[in-house]
Amino acid sequence: MTEPRGPVDSSRIPRFAGPATFARLPRLDEVARADVAVVGVPFDAGVSYRPGARFGPAAVREASRLLRPYHPGLDVSPFATQQVADAGDIAVNPFDIGEAIETIQDAADRLQADGTRLVTIGGDHTIALPLLRAAARRHGPVAVLHFDAHLDTWDTYFGAEHTHGTPFRRAVEEGIVDTSALSHVGTRGPLYGKEDLTEDQKLGFGIVTSADVYRRGADEVADQLRGRIGDRPLYISIDIDCLDPAHAPGTGTPEAGGLTSRELLEILRGLAGCHLVGADVVEVAPAYDHAEITSVAASHVAYDLIGLLALRPGQPARAA
């Protein structure tokens, strides 16, 4: 078996030099095949407030230059135990949401055709729908962990069915998610009405609010989520606005009272051994960022997701 090709050696080439692939990994066309591909989707035509997430993939890649090969929190070297490569960006039509969704789904299907798993960097949360379609095509209906300040299960905006606030309602309607294993994590803030929660519950989602995480702690929350997921194929979708604006100011729809970056990372690490089949990190809008705070957080979140993909399904979570 060929040894995986890892990141550029930072003892030979400074971290601030050279192409900004994710974590300075090889491009997909530089390796025979990849176990995990990091792919960008620079698309934000589905946003309802501040635009700019189309620049998220480039910003997250730039912030990822400081990532290192060994992950002590998971006790894994994610780039040594699996071939991880940067697949570049999926070029989508910025003026036609329907066409963009089809393009993303087709590209995800092609990238996963040989068993490669995807960690996708957005882009706005509209992109989760075609990514879930592609995941379900390979694995059947998937369990979903959705980290977000918002529910994203609304029906329409201005009559539009496909926006960054609707992907998970559409996913339930299409039967591509396992409605016995759906969870929101980090939700908070005002809603349009109490019926938003009622409708969300009817779709099958459980909710762990940011206040729940604060009161109960990351370990207890991770245990609860693991119990709900079981051994089902799992897709994790992370809107960076699940973090408090203090930890992620560079996003389109910020809400006060969110998770800390530490809480998010600790919850993810508590999911070690789950049957993760794909993931995304979305809604990084660097124009509103300060000192790369949001991009750095997103790059570490993506790194943790790659670390989880390096672990065997069923492997026990690390000791507290």
Side-chain angles (χ1 to χ4, degrees):
M1 178 179 174
T2 305
E3 288 291 319
R5 178 176 166 184
V8 172
D9 185 350
S10 61
S11 69
R12 294 178 175 271
I13 301 176
R15 296 184 182 280
F16 45 80
T21 57
F22 184 85
R24 309 179 81 207
L25 287 160
R27 300 190 313 267
L28 185 59
D29 62 0
E30 295 177 316
V31 297
R33 68 169 302 276
D35 300 297
V36 178
V38 180
V39 61
V41 183
F43 172 85
D44 64 3
V47 300
S48 57
Y49 192 49
R50 302 192 306 198
R54 66 184 62 185
F55 300 109
V60 174
R61 286 188 177 102
E62 187 65 31
S64 74
R65 288 178 178 272
L66 199 57
L67 295 173
R68 299 178 178 87
Y70 174 64
H71 191 314
L74 291 170
D75 188 23
V76 67
S77 297
F79 308 137
T81 57
Q82 58 188 351
Q83 181 62 67
V84 187
D86 192 319
D89 288 341
I90 300 172
V92 297
N93 187 335
F95 306 111
D96 188 321
I97 294 178
E99 181 184 321
I101 288 173
E102 291 179 6
T103 300
I104 295 164
Q105 183 178 345
D106 290 345
D109 284 337
R110 289 195 304 272
L111 287 167
Q112 296 179 105
D114 61 354
T116 299
R117 293 171 293 176
L118 302 184
V119 174
T120 306
I121 304 169
D124 75 51
H125 224 152
T126 309
I127 72 171
L129 178 61
L131 295 171
L132 285 167
R133 288 175 178 171
R137 181 171 291 186
R138 289 195 60 83
H139 303 283
V142 293
V144 174
L145 285 185
H146 170 222
F147 291 81
D148 202 318
H150 311 96
L151 301 173
D152 288 3
T153 52
W154 287 282
D155 191 5
T156 63
Y157 283 130
F158 295 90
E161 294 184 350
H162 296 113
T163 76
H164 74 161
T166 66
F168 298 101
R169 178 183 284 265
R170 301 285 92 84
V172 171
E173 292 171 347
E174 293 180 16
I176 57 178
V177 295
D178 185 337
T179 53
S180 67
L182 305 177
S183 297
H184 303 298
V185 184
T187 57
R188 62 192 187 275
L191 297 169
Y192 296 106
K194 191 171 183 177
E195 63 273 11
D196 290 347
L197 296 173
T198 305
E199 289 296 311
D200 188 80
Q201 187 178 36
K202 289 178 181 177
L203 294 172
F205 279 90
I207 295 178
V208 179
T209 67
S210 59
D212 292 331
V213 175
Y214 169 72
R215 293 189 175 98
R216 294 163 49 197
D219 290 343
E220 183 179 329
V221 167
D223 287 345
Q224 175 190 338
L225 297 174
R226 289 174 63 87
R228 188 170 175 88
I229 297 160
D231 60 359
R232 299 170 178 86
L234 169 65
Y235 189 93
I236 298 178
S237 186
I238 301 177
D239 186 326
I240 205 65
D241 74 16
C242 71
L243 300 181
D244 188 88
H247 297 265
T251 192
T253 47
E255 304 279 359
L259 306 181
T260 67
S261 54
R262 178 174 58 244
E263 287 171 333
L264 174 57
L265 294 173
E266 286 301 309
I267 292 171
L268 291 176
R269 293 165 192 175
L271 301 174
C274 288
H275 184 198
L276 183 62
V277 298
D280 62 61
V281 184
V282 300
E283 299 283 357
V284 174
Y288 314 106
D289 208 2
H290 306 287
E292 296 183 296
I293 294 172
T294 312
S295 301
V296 167
S299 70
H300 280 262
V301 168
Y303 177 64
D304 268 54
L305 293 167
I306 295 168
L308 291 174
L309 288 167
L311 301 174
R312 299 186 309 277
Q315 182 172 328
R318 61 177 174 77

